[in-house]
Amino acid sequence: MSAPPTILVFDSGLGGLTVLREIVRTRPDAHYVYVADDAFFPYGHHGEEEIIARVVPLVGELIARHAPALMVIACNTASTLVMSHLRSAYTLPFVGTVPAIKPACASSKTKRVSVLGTKGTVKREYTRRLIDDFAQGCEVTLVGSAELASLAESALSGNDVRDEDIAAELAPCFVGDGEHRTDAVVLACTHYPLLLDRLTRLAPWPVDWIDPAPAIARRVSDLLGPAGRECDKAGAEMIFTSQRPHTLSQALMPFFGGRVPAQGRVSA
């Protein structure tokens, strides 16, 4: 029996687990290595050149150590900044994460769409080009949240996060009234689906929440080719670049398809 392919999923923190969850559902035959660059979290607090200088060599080390079949950059900030650098430096297939503006605008009936991301993602030229190319006549509101990613991390870690704090970050997404109000919100940070139940409950009216994770999972599966038989040896690892031990095994298992991720290490 051939060894299961290794898929390496990289994010600044725990948000990429929402992408990992969809990939595992699509490809249960793979071995997964999830890397949270928490020693540098949040990326939004660093300059663009700092992030590029950080991520490109770190990814090279991870590739050398784990020999993945492909790598998923499960972070909007990193994807919009470093993907071209990674593809120039390494021959490995990369799958990135970018704001799902095209499907949101295509499905909007009121033609009012909001993009909820980090401050860095919403101000980036890449995001504005997506709007120029795919708005399809929609009015697109860009909302840069300073705190929502950190709130999501805190909630997943078992800490109390107040509804009021989440609602304050969410409020600018909801624009207009009646038939001309926002009907779709793009989740342009992989951390935000960690709070989806609360986002839905706290929203002033119902909207479609657009999460790119299912599309990313389909792309990964297409690149890998036909799935092999699910194998007991297809395990999982969880790595924090800060070297802190992960103590969230029960909370993490659903993202890894029920597997208990082993503790991995990487220098950072």
Side-chain angles (χ1 to χ4, degrees), residues 198-222:
R198 295 179 71 177
L199 298 181
T200 301
R201 175 168 57 83
L202 294 170
W205 59 77
V207 295
D208 291 331
W209 303 95
I210 310 299
D211 179 2
I216 294 168
R218 290 191 295 271
R219 177 60 178 159
V220 167
S221 190
D222 288 346

Side-chain angles (χ1 to χ4, degrees), residues 2-254:
S2 61
T6 293
I7 299 175
L8 207 158
V9 180
F10 178 89
D11 184 29
S12 60
L14 299 179
L17 291 169
T18 63
V19 176
L20 173 73
R21 177 174 54 197
E22 294 299 325
I23 300 172
V24 172
R25 288 172 179 166
T26 304
R27 296 303 298 252
D29 57 310
H31 175 90
Y32 289 92
V33 179
Y34 184 92
V35 180
D37 187 17
D38 63 325
F40 215 59
F41 178 83
Y43 279 4
H45 290 179
H46 302 281
E48 295 185 0
E49 293 304 319
E50 285 183 280
I51 295 171
I52 294 167
R54 166 77 177 182
V55 172
V56 175
L58 177 56
V59 165
E61 179 183 341
L62 293 168
I63 292 171
R65 181 173 298 224
H66 298 283
L70 61 78
M71 186 166 182
V72 179
I73 307 299
C75 172
N76 285 267
T77 298
S79 293
T80 56
L81 281 177
V82 306
M83 193 62 71
S84 61
H85 299 274
L86 294 176
R87 287 174 172 150
S88 295
Y90 311 112
T91 58
L92 187 75
F94 289 92
V95 178
T97 306
V98 298
I101 291 168
K102 182 178 181 180
C105 291
S107 65
S108 175
K109 294 180 173 57
T110 66
K111 297 301 181 182
R112 280 200 165 176
V113 171
S114 291
V115 177
L116 177 62
T118 65
K119 288 186 176 294
T121 294
V122 300
K123 74 178 183 182
R124 200 147 286 128
E125 181 60 29
Y126 187 100
T127 303
R128 298 183 185 276
R129 285 202 306 270
L130 289 174
I131 295 171
D132 290 342
D133 291 342
F134 300 118
Q136 303 180 51
C138 289
E139 179 181 326
V140 179
T141 300
L142 291 170
V143 179
S145 170
E147 300 297 335
L148 198 56
S150 295
L151 293 174
E153 292 247 338
S154 185
L156 183 61
S157 298
N159 300 316
D160 289 332
V161 174
R162 300 189 315 155
D163 281 353
E164 293 86 348
D165 293 334
I166 296 174
E169 301 296 311
L170 188 62
C173 294
F174 291 83
V175 179
D177 53 42
E179 296 180 358
H180 303 289
R181 66 188 187 182
T182 303
D183 70 348
V185 177
V186 177
L187 298 174
C189 172
T190 56
H191 282 78
Y192 299 167
L194 293 170
L195 295 171
L196 184 57
D197 288 347
R198 295 179 71 177
L199 298 181
T200 301
R201 175 168 57 83
L202 294 170
W205 59 77
V207 295
D208 291 331
W209 303 95
I210 310 299
D211 179 2
I216 294 168
R218 290 191 295 271
R219 177 60 178 159
V220 167
S221 190
D222 288 346
L223 287 172
L224 283 180
R229 192 173 67 182
E230 186 173 358
C231 176
D232 290 340
K233 295 180 181 178
E237 298 172 62
M238 178 82 178
I239 298 170
F240 290 103
T241 59
S242 67
Q243 310 299 352
R244 69 183 172 98
H246 72 70
T247 57
L248 299 171
S249 292
Q250 293 302 315
L252 294 174
M253 281 176 62

